[in-house]
């Protein structure tokens, strides 16, 4: 059973701080990794994708991938109360079925 | 206008009833997906379709069926609803263009309650 693990949280950070969200996965052959943001009662929204080891930056968001250690993380700089949401990690496995495996999400709270 | 729409947005139904959830998209994507989301369990794939003639079961397809009426329309049916099918249901789409095929875009969801 391929798994994607996330700490459910909540992760609480003060406004302006860096929020660090982590995700581990079990399929060593996984190639594609995604972060989705989901506000309460709303649908998931794709915010970052990463395919290669290292860092990928997009505005206040940085995704970090370490395939050897099988983890992917999301850093949110200058956190704002509007960033308070659940962040879902999704992984595309090694097989050819084009399916994503989702973690259960980490809830982030940014305190004003 | 939203790129991916779902109807109804909320539905309460009784055990044993047949219910259909509909999804339409204007993104021009070939691939469409149905997920359910339960608290603490994340998103689980019910069915997916790569084109009108290609429909595949996901990890939790028992008790569900689907129909891909056109490239833009993908419906999910519960033939005989049961209470443990109470959940939030999402439709999603993705492109078939290399480099973007795994990036999925979600509709607003349907909150289904089976009593």
């Amino acid at each position: 059973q391929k798994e994607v693990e996330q700490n459910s949280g909540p992760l609480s950070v003060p406004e302006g701080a860096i929020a660090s969200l982590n995700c581990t996965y079990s399929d060593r052959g996984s190639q594609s990794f995604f972060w989705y943001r989901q506000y309460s009662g709303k649908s998931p929204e794709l915010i970052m994708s990463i395919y290669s080891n290292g860092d990928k930056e997009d505005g206040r968001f940085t995704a970090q991938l370490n395939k050897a250690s099988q983890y992917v993380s999301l850093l949110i700089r200058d956190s704002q109360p509007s960033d308070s949401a659940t962040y879902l990690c999704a992984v595309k496995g090694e097989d050819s079925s084009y399916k994503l495996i989702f973690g259960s999400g980490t809830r982030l709270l940014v305190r004003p | 206008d939203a790129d991916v729409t779902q109807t109804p947005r909320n539905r309460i139904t009784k055990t044993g009833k047949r219910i259909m959830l509909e999804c339409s998209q204007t993104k021009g994507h070939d691939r469409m997906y149905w997920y359910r989301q339960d608290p603490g369990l994340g998103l689980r794939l019910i069915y997916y379709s790569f084109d009108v003639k290609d429909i595949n079961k996901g990890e939790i397809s028992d008790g569900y069926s689907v129909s891909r009426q056109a490239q833009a329309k993908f419906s999910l049916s519960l033939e005989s609803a049961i209470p443990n099918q109470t959940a939030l249901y999402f439709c999603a789409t993705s492109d078939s263009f290399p480099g973007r095929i795994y990036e999925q875009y979600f509709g607003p969801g349907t909150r289904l309650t089976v009593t």
Side-chain angles (χ1 to χ4, degrees), chain B residues 37-55:
Chain B
Q37 187 174 40
D38 301 272
L41 294 179
L43 287 160
R44 293 183 291 167
L45 183 63
I46 305 172
Y47 271 94
Y48 60 104
S49 170
F50 290 165
D51 64 39
V52 174
K53 297 182 180 179
D54 184 4
I55 294 176

Side-chain angles (χ1 to χ4, degrees), chain A residues 6 21 34-48 58 60-61 74 76 80-90 102 105-108 110, chain B residues 37 43 90 104 106-107:
Chain A
Q6 295 180 258
L21 305 164
F34 306 89
W35 283 100
Y36 285 81
R37 177 177 61 198
Q38 186 175 24
Y39 293 111
S40 180
K42 303 296 184 181
S43 58
E45 174 192 9
L46 179 65
I47 56 173
M48 290 287 288
D58 184 0
R60 294 186 297 112
F61 299 101
L74 179 70
I76 306 175
Q80 301 297 309
S82 59
D83 295 324
S84 297
T86 296
Y87 289 81
L88 306 175
C89 173
F102 284 84
T106 297
R107 185 175 166 218
L108 173 66
V110 181
Chain B
Q37 187 174 40
L43 287 160
F90 289 107
Q104 296 185 10
F106 286 78

Side-chain angles (χ1 to χ4, degrees), chain B residues 41-111:
Chain B
L41 294 179
L43 287 160
R44 293 183 291 167
L45 183 63
I46 305 172
Y47 271 94
Y48 60 104
S49 170
F50 290 165
D51 64 39
V52 174
K53 297 182 180 179
D54 184 4
I55 294 176
N56 305 277
K57 293 182 177 180
E59 58 183 305
I60 55 162
S61 59
D62 287 348
Y64 302 94
S65 63
V66 291
S67 173
R68 185 83 184 264
Q69 301 95 327
Q71 186 207 33
K73 296 183 181 296
F74 192 34
S75 300
L76 176 72
S77 293
L78 286 67
E79 298 301 326
S80 179
I82 56 177
N84 76 359
Q85 291 178 314
T86 293
L88 190 54
Y89 289 85
F90 289 107
C91 174
T93 73
S94 67
D95 201 347
S96 54
F97 187 84
R100 293 205 296 265
I101 58 176
Y102 310 126
E103 297 177 0
Q104 296 185 10
Y105 297 87
F106 286 78
T110 294
R111 185 168 297 280

Side-chain angles (χ1 to χ4, degrees), chain A residues 91-109:
Chain A
V91 175
K92 162 64 179 72
E94 186 177 21
D95 66 30
S96 61
S97 62
Y98 304 103
K99 294 181 290 185
L100 294 182
I101 307 298
F102 284 84
S104 57
T106 297
R107 185 175 166 218
L108 173 66
L109 296 176

